[in-house]
Amino acid sequence: DKESFSRLVEEMSAMLKPRGKIFSAALSPAKKTVEAGYDLPFIIQHFDFLNVMTYDYHGWFPDHFFTGHNAPLYRREEEEPEDHPGWYFNVFDTISVYLEGGVPPRQTVMGMPTYGRGFILNDTEKNGLYCGAHDGIPKGPYTRQKGIWGHQEILQAFNNDTLINLPDAKP
C-alpha cells in the first residue's frame, strides 16, 4: 500500500522532527517490494536516512526450501531470469534500486550481517547454491534459533568447540 505508507511516513515525520527526533526506517531488500510499496522520492524527503536490509536474502524461512547466500554481494549468471529466486536478490542490485529510485547515497545505510545462516540438505551429494534443504542448522548455544548462528558460534565451530550441536560433524 504505497500511498498509505507514504502518508504514514509524512505524518510521523511531522510529529517527530519538530521534537528534534531522528526519523529512519529499515526497508526491504526486494526489488518487487520496493517498487510496489515505497514511493522513494516522496518518503526520502521525510526520513533522515534509510536502513536498507541487505541481508537475509536466503535462509531457513517458511517457503524457502533451498540453499543460498545470506548476503551475496553480486548477482550470479544463473540468477538473471526474473523468475529465478536470486533475481535482484543481492547487495549491489538492492542498493542500485534505492539509488536509482532517488535515494541519495548520503541518506542510505547498507545493512551488514555478522551472522550466518545454514541448512540441512535433502541430499548431501548436492551441496551448492539453490540445492534442496529440509531444515535449518541446529540451534547454536547463544542464538538458540534454528537456521542461524552468530559470529561467535561460527568461530567456535571452526575450532571444534560446538560440534556437539552438529551430530554428524567430524573434527
Side-chain angles (χ1 to χ4, degrees), residues 3 8 12 60 110 115 131 137 160:
E3 188 176 326
L8 175 66
M12 290 183 72
W60 182 246
M110 183 186 87
Y115 57 90
C131 291
I137 56 173
N160 296 323

Side-chain angles (χ1 to χ4, degrees), residues 95-130:
I95 294 297
S96 295
V97 166
Y98 279 88
L99 297 178
E100 291 166 8
V103 179
R106 72 185 182 308
Q107 287 179 271
T108 305
V109 177
M110 183 186 87
M112 186 179 84
T114 56
Y115 57 90
R117 294 197 172 272
F119 308 85
I120 296 178
L121 301 173
N122 293 343
D123 180 350
T124 57
E125 299 296 316
K126 297 178 183 173
N127 56 17
L129 293 173
Y130 303 108

Side-chain angles (χ1 to χ4, degrees), residues 32-153:
K32 291 177 182 179
T33 300
V34 173
E35 290 172 347
Y38 309 143
D39 180 348
L40 292 176
F42 181 81
I43 65 173
I44 196 56
Q45 297 173 59
H46 302 285
F47 283 120
D48 291 295
F49 55 89
L50 296 181
N51 296 290
V52 183
M53 299 186 305
T54 52
Y55 48 84
D56 292 344
Y57 289 98
H58 301 286
W60 182 246
F61 311 124
D63 301 324
H64 198 103
F65 302 108
F66 53 87
T67 63
H69 289 296
N70 183 24
L73 290 178
Y74 295 101
R75 181 183 334 160
R76 299 171 60 87
E77 188 175 315
E78 66 267 22
E79 297 168 341
E80 292 294 330
E82 190 171 339
D83 63 342
H84 191 282
W87 181 77
Y88 263 80
F89 232 40
N90 61 78
V91 173
F92 179 82
D93 285 337
T94 294
I95 294 297
S96 295
V97 166
Y98 279 88
L99 297 178
E100 291 166 8
V103 179
R106 72 185 182 308
Q107 287 179 271
T108 305
V109 177
M110 183 186 87
M112 186 179 84
T114 56
Y115 57 90
R117 294 197 172 272
F119 308 85
I120 296 178
L121 301 173
N122 293 343
D123 180 350
T124 57
E125 299 296 316
K126 297 178 183 173
N127 56 17
L129 293 173
Y130 303 108
C131 291
H134 62 272
D135 208 351
I137 56 173
K139 298 175 183 181
Y142 308 117
T143 55
R144 296 182 182 157
Q145 182 180 342
K146 186 184 283 192
I148 183 171
W149 278 7
H151 180 70
Q152 73 280 24
E153 292 162 323

